[in-house]
Amino acid sequence: MERLDDDTVAAALDKLPGWQRNGDHLRRDFKFADFNAAWGFMSRVALLAEAMNHHPEWSNVYNSVSIGLSTHDANGLTELDLKLAAAINDSAGDS
C-alpha cells in the first residue's frame, strides 16, 4: 500500500463524516445508547477489520468508542484506511 498525499486525504475526509486527521492517523469518536450498543458496534467493526486484514487502534469506555486508523507498514494513511473508515461509518449508520 502506498502512503497517500495530504491533498488526497483532505479530499477523502470530505466524504467521511465524523473523521478527522490527526497526524498520520484518522480518528473518530462514537457514542451509543449504552455499553451493549457500543460492544455490538465493536463486534461488527472487528469482523470488517479482520476481513480487510486491517485492524484499528481503539478504546471503549461504557457507551463510547474511539477509533484510530493508520497503515503502519506505509508510515501513514493509505487507501485501506479510507476504505475501513467508510465501512465503519456504514456499520454505525453514518454513510
Side-chain angles (χ1 to χ4, degrees):
M1 274 279 149
E2 243 181 77
R3 182 178 173 148
L4 299 174
D5 62 54
D6 292 339
D7 291 338
T8 302
V9 173
L13 282 173
D14 288 340
K15 299 173 188 162
L16 292 170
W19 290 91
Q20 297 178 346
R21 185 174 188 174
N22 184 355
D24 287 333
H25 286 77
L26 295 182
R27 301 232 179 253
R28 179 155 183 205
D29 296 325
F30 294 86
K31 293 266 188 204
F32 298 92
D34 55 26
F35 179 76
N36 286 335
W39 191 264
F41 168 74
M42 290 179 71
S43 296
R44 292 189 305 275
V45 171
L47 293 173
L48 291 168
E50 188 65 17
M52 295 175 75
N53 194 28
H54 192 54
H55 305 92
E57 298 172 11
W58 58 4
S59 65
N60 164 245
V61 177
Y62 182 57
N63 69 335
S64 299
V65 177
S66 297
I67 299 178
L69 301 175
S70 186
T71 303
H72 301 287
D73 291 345
N75 293 317
L77 298 168
T78 67
E79 192 65 35
L80 196 52
D81 299 300
L82 302 178
K83 287 179 182 178
L84 183 53
I88 290 170
N89 277 5
D90 287 346
S91 184
D94 291 350
S95 53

